[in-house]
């Protein structure tokens, strides 16, 4: 545990129709001892009674509301802007379908304070259904030729990582001040990767706090629906390559060819259509110009 005074941390939890998970996350968060901790729940345009349910359970909680679903980046940015405006030194982005262990936050802060060049630190996430099994050991390496990156489940040194897992991610205020916020051109998926790549281009280091343990339900917002995943991952993957690949047009072509062929040989025409819709979504955002402030 760090010595008092602790730095001011704001934890942002994004809710979209998932009040049950959010309340469980808040219960777990209450067991994380960190006196100067501000918890901010951002309701991302829920269409059910999430706001009423959360307010009833936590009447004194800071709950910000968006009139519409702005996606992961846009919704979190609402909370990030509020936290920065109110003096937070670190911002903890925490998925609502998680259960952080009591020492999860202390371990994140301890790690990020070991080196002023570290801009962001992630936790190690474990499956909520099997707490002994690692879901993601911090993050991944990313192939920017074909748009592929899978979170590792094995320990690595910090320099190995290209990106971190946004399920539980602590960001230093100075990193946001330098690189900007999450890119709101991403609706779902790859926004954490883009943010890490942007930070690394600016000379920031990224790291993993191996002692920060978080249980994760995985894909709670999409229910694991592969058709929905295909659409959002296609649009976001193309945007990532356009922003960060050394040869974006070639990389996008390779990315789409692999995705179309992989589904075609399996005669998954429903998923082929989802990839096509993702391509259409991406094209509707051209030219790519990040909204990061």
């Amino acid at each position: 545990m760090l010595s008092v005074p602790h730095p001011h941390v704001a934890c942002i939890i994004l809710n979209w129709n998932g009040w049950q998970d959010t309340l469980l996350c808040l219960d777990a968060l209450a067991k994380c001892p960190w006196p100067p901790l501000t918890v901010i729940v951002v309701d991302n345009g829920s269409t059910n009674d999430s706001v009423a349910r959360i307010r009833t359970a936590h009447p004194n909680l800071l709950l910000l509301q968006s009139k519409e679903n702005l996606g992961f980046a846009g919704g979190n940015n609402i909370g990030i802007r509020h936290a920065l405006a109110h003096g937070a030194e670190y911002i903890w982005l925490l998925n609502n379908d998680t259960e952080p262990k009591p020492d999860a936050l202390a371990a994140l802060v301890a790690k990020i304070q070991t080196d002023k060049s570290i801009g962001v630190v992630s936790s190690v996430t474990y499956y909520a259904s099997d707490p002994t099994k690692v879901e993601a050991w911090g993050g991944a390496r990313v192939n920017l030729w074909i748009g592929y990156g899978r979170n590792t489940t094995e320990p690595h040194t910090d320099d190995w990582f290209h990106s971190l897992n946004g399920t539980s991610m602590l960001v230093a205020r100075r990193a946001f001040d330098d690189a900007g916020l999450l890119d709101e051109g991403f609706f779902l998926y790859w926004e954490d990767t883009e943010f890490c790549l942007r930070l690394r281009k600016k000379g920031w280091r990224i790291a993993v706090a191996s002692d920060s343990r978080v249980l994760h339900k995985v894909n709670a917002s999409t229910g694991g629906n592969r058709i929905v995943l295909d659409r959002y991952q296609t649009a976001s993957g193309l945007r990532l390559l356009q922003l960060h690949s050394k040869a974006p047009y070639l990389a996008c072509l390779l990315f789409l060819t692999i995705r179309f062929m992989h589904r075609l040989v399996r005669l998954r025409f429903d998923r082929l259509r989802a990839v096509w819709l993702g391509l259409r979504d991406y094209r509707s955002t051209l030219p790519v110009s990040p909204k990061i402030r």
Side-chain angles (χ1 to χ4, degrees), residues 210-257:
S210 59
D211 294 332
S212 179
R213 300 179 71 252
V214 172
L215 303 185
H216 185 210
K217 293 183 179 178
V218 186
N219 290 330
S221 61
T222 63
N225 187 317
R226 297 304 306 177
I227 295 174
V228 175
L229 291 171
D230 279 348
R231 180 171 183 173
Y232 288 124
Q233 288 180 347
T234 297
S236 294
L238 289 168
R239 184 175 183 85
L240 181 78
L241 294 174
Q242 187 66 43
L243 287 169
H244 292 285
S245 176
K246 293 181 179 179
Y249 294 107
L250 175 59
C252 287
L253 177 61
L254 292 172
F255 173 73
L256 285 172
T257 299

Side-chain angles (χ1 to χ4, degrees), residues 97-101 124-128 131 213-217:
D97 60 342
T98 61
E99 178 188 332
K101 293 302 182 180
V124 177
T125 57
Y126 296 77
Y127 288 98
R213 300 179 71 252
V214 172
L215 303 185
H216 185 210
K217 293 183 179 178

Side-chain angles (χ1 to χ4, degrees), residues 138-152:
R141 292 179 70 85
V142 182
N143 185 328
L144 291 173
W145 287 103
I146 59 173
Y148 179 81
R150 175 173 291 179
N151 287 322
T152 182

